[in-house]
Amino acid sequence: DAEIIDPYERRKRLLAEDIAYTLSNVERFADAEEGAAALASLREVATERRADSTLLREHLQQSKSLSEVVRWAAQCWMRDVRKS
């Protein structure tokens, strides 16, 4: 698990904790629907620790094919782009 040094508390802190804390501060300024949905998505990624690299590794382990992973990642990306 990634860690950072909290300069105010002068201690190590999990990066996921820091991201969750930062998102809770930003949440106050987000618009009701789109902003809240985006922040919820970011919080989910941070708390579940299922970042893109984890998903890519899992898919590679399942498929055993780098070209399949690239094809799958491109399809995921296109779905996300079309939602925007």
Side-chain angles (χ1 to χ4, degrees):
D1 291 334
E3 295 180 324
I4 62 168
I5 303 294
D6 185 321
Y8 300 106
E9 296 181 19
R10 297 179 186 222
R11 69 173 181 90
K12 286 184 181 179
R13 183 177 184 165
L14 289 176
L15 181 58
E17 287 177 3
D18 189 64
I19 291 170
Y21 174 77
T22 301
L23 290 174
S24 67
N25 287 333
V26 171
E27 200 168 39
R28 295 179 288 172
F29 305 102
D31 65 353
E33 292 184 27
E34 290 181 18
L39 290 172
S41 178
L42 289 171
R43 182 174 289 110
E44 181 181 328
V45 169
T47 57
E48 292 184 9
R49 294 178 177 85
R50 293 189 50 81
D52 291 348
S53 60
T54 303
L55 296 174
L56 291 170
R57 284 189 201 102
E58 288 174 357
H59 200 78
L60 179 60
Q61 188 175 17
Q62 291 171 359
S63 70
K64 306 284 191 239
S65 167
L66 184 57
S67 60
E68 172 56 29
V69 171
V70 172
R71 184 176 7 275
W72 174 78
Q75 288 171 345
C76 291
W77 181 79
M78 288 302 294
R79 276 194 304 270
D80 288 344
V81 168
R82 289 182 186 139
K83 287 180 188 176
S84 300

